[in-house]
Amino acid sequence: MIIQMNQNAMPDEIKNVEKMIEEAGYSVHPIYGTNLTVLAAVGDERGKEGLYDRMVSQPGVDKVEYILPPYKLVAREIQKGIIRPDSVIDFQFEWKEGTKSIQIGGSDFVVMAGPCSVENREQVLESARFAKKYGACCLRGGAFKPRTSPYSFQGLEEEGLKLLAEARYEHGLAVVTELMDAHHLELVDQYADIIQIGARNMQNFMLLKSLGSTQKPIMLKRGMSSTLEEWLMSAEYILSQGNNHVILCERGIRTFETQYRNVLDLNAVPALKKLTHLPVLVDPSHGTGHADLVAPMSLAAAAAGAYGIMVEVHPEPSKAFSDGKQSLDEERFKHLMKILPPVVHAVGMRTSWNS
Ligand code: PEP
Ligand code: MN
């Protein structure tokens, strides 16, 4: 931590800050300049955020800056150049033909596909059928929907979860579904293989803390106005509660541009690789809001080094209860799965499907 003292700081104010630094377990390295004094507090500053808050309010202190990022468990670098390898999220599930294993963050590029909302049995089973046919490994679908309007379709809740479970059994796809409220964790945990935390809840800290009571993989989507550091701090909440199985999903951020729903921040993919060992997926559906932009941005996501994508599909997008405009029908999904492999292979990853 670097503490810059005010130009007019009195010697006893400088002494007071030096004492606080030492009492907190750091060593102090002062630089006494002709105009101002800078104090370097040397030691692992993570987990000592309370000191930062006290330091900024001390008399004579101008600025306090961290040297290390404030997250620890999700950090790529553990200590002094020790680099953590990528985490592989590995899990299994049962379907009618036996047990299946999935790895996210390994050598296979993963594709999650499914409707925005679970609407009815036919719609889920039909989406699962073609998602599987062209190579998806996971079926996404919301049973609890975070809708902007309270008058919009809110989801089928447990009935929706049961339909997803039926589709898993029939088609051998792992189920990814959103949890919006800690009170529903036990219920969602019974049906989901991956629990999704949506953009709107990325900083719902009580919800994040509740996830320590499950060992299911958590897919944490980026908040629509969140920095990478805020996002990683949210992931840190989950790991700090004892669940290390976290996948990050970039889903676009809010900018001044109105031509599309969000701006898919693909910078985040290589940038996060440097900052964290957690695997990163990309959601080009919410990231663009337009079905015709999903395929090119999926290719771009693969080229940027994502471990996979999550896309919305629907048997009849024009009749979807939510997000029909960005949903791929069977033909469009088939086309996407055909054009993806060359790009995936070019960056050294494998595809488990034949295109
Ligand atoms: C979703 O994936 O269904 C969803 C609501 O996405 P987001 O939380 O990214 O808006
Ligand atoms: Mn959606």
Side-chain angles (χ1 to χ4, degrees):
M1 196 183 280
I2 301 287
I3 298 108
Q4 184 181 316
M5 302 301 295
N6 192 292
Q7 280 204 16
N8 306 316
M10 305 300 283
D12 58 337
E13 290 173 339
I14 298 174
K15 280 220 163 57
N16 165 49
V17 174
E18 287 179 337
K19 192 162 158 260
M20 278 179 70
I21 295 172
E22 276 169 353
E23 281 171 3
Y26 295 97
S27 59
V28 194
H29 296 257
I31 304 162
Y32 301 110
T34 30
N35 290 324
L36 51 83
T37 297
V38 175
L39 304 172
V42 178
D44 194 340
E45 61 203 6
R46 293 172 295 195
K48 294 180 186 154
E49 282 75 15
L51 178 69
Y52 176 95
D53 290 340
R54 278 188 291 130
M55 207 69 97
V56 280
S57 56
Q58 290 307 306
V61 170
D62 229 9
K63 244 196 324 206
V64 181
E65 271 173 24
Y66 285 116
I67 305 169
L68 287 175
Y71 42 84
K72 237 186 205 168
L73 302 170
V74 306
R76 169 69 88 187
E77 184 172 335
I78 320 173
Q79 252 179 1
K80 299 187 185 104
I82 302 175
I83 303 292
R84 273 191 72 152
D86 288 2
S87 282
V88 181
I89 311 300
D90 196 337
F91 62 96
Q92 297 189 329
F93 67 93
E94 303 295 325
W95 71 304
K96 68 178 182 193
E97 291 179 17
T99 306
K100 242 187 193 174
S101 285
I102 294 189
Q103 281 94 37
I104 298 176
S107 47
D108 277 10
F109 188 86
V110 296
V111 176
M112 301 175 169
C116 179
S117 309
V118 175
E119 298 168 9
N120 56 59
R121 186 165 180 272
E122 200 190 340
Q123 173 243 18
V124 181
L125 290 175
E126 178 57 8
S127 304
R129 180 197 61 75
F130 73 79
K132 169 73 181 295
K133 180 172 177 191
Y134 301 108
C137 65
C138 303
L139 175 67
R140 62 142 289 142
F144 292 91
K145 291 305 301 177
R147 305 305 303 280
T148 302
S149 165
Y151 310 115
S152 300
F153 177 62
Q154 303 285 308
L156 296 181
E157 304 193 350
E158 186 167 8
E159 189 194 333
L161 296 172
K162 286 186 176 156
L163 294 175
L164 288 167
E166 183 182 344
R168 165 177 51 211
Y169 183 76
E170 267 313 302
H171 296 286
L173 295 166
V175 166
V176 187
T177 197
E178 179 162 352
L179 172 72
M180 285 175 56
D181 186 322
H183 292 110
H184 297 139
L185 175 57
E186 224 177 298
L187 176 68
V188 172
D189 203 28
Q190 277 174 44
Y191 296 95
D193 299 297
I194 298 178
I195 298 175
Q196 173 173 326
I197 300 296
R200 290 155 193 81
N201 273 316
M202 189 207 86
Q203 284 192 315
N204 180 341
F205 300 117
M206 295 310 279
L207 179 62
L208 299 177
K209 282 187 189 179
S210 77
L211 299 170
S213 64
T214 175
Q215 283 301 311
K216 286 267 164 75
I218 308 295
M219 186 170 75
L220 180 65
K221 299 190 82 177
R222 180 180 186 175
M224 54 190 86
S225 303
S226 298
T227 64
L228 298 190
E229 188 166 299
E230 287 163 342
W231 189 9
L232 291 173
M233 288 307 283
S234 291
E236 186 84 7
Y237 261 90
I238 305 170
L239 272 78
S240 69
Q241 297 300 311
N243 184 343
N244 297 327
H245 309 114
V246 176
I247 302 155
L248 300 172
C249 180
E250 163 61 43
R251 49 78 71 201
I253 51 174
R254 282 265 169 92
T255 72
F256 52 83
E257 183 55 68
T258 55
Q259 195 67 35
Y260 20 79
R261 186 172 177 182
N262 289 296
V263 172
L264 188 63
D265 178 16
L266 290 180
N267 294 0
V269 178
L272 285 168
K273 283 208 170 168
K274 288 203 276 183
L275 301 174
T276 182
H277 55 88
L278 300 176
V280 184
L281 303 185
V282 170
D283 169 358
S285 305
H286 293 88
T288 63
H290 294 273
D292 56 344
L293 299 183
V294 170
M297 295 315 284
S298 297
L299 299 183
Y307 277 110
I309 51 171
M310 179 167 82
V311 295
E312 286 184 339
V313 303
H314 195 285
E316 279 184 282
S318 63
K319 295 192 179 152
F321 290 4
S322 56
D323 290 350
K325 205 167 141 196
Q326 66 196 34
S327 299
L328 307 181
D329 61 11
E330 180 167 353
E331 270 315 298
R332 277 187 142 139
F333 183 64
K334 178 181 174 186
H335 175 69
L336 167 64
M337 297 304 273
K338 187 166 186 291
I339 62 176
L340 255 178
V343 179
V344 171
H345 302 154
V347 294
M349 290 195 74
R350 293 194 314 220
T351 46
S352 59
W353 68 94
N354 302 313
S355 50

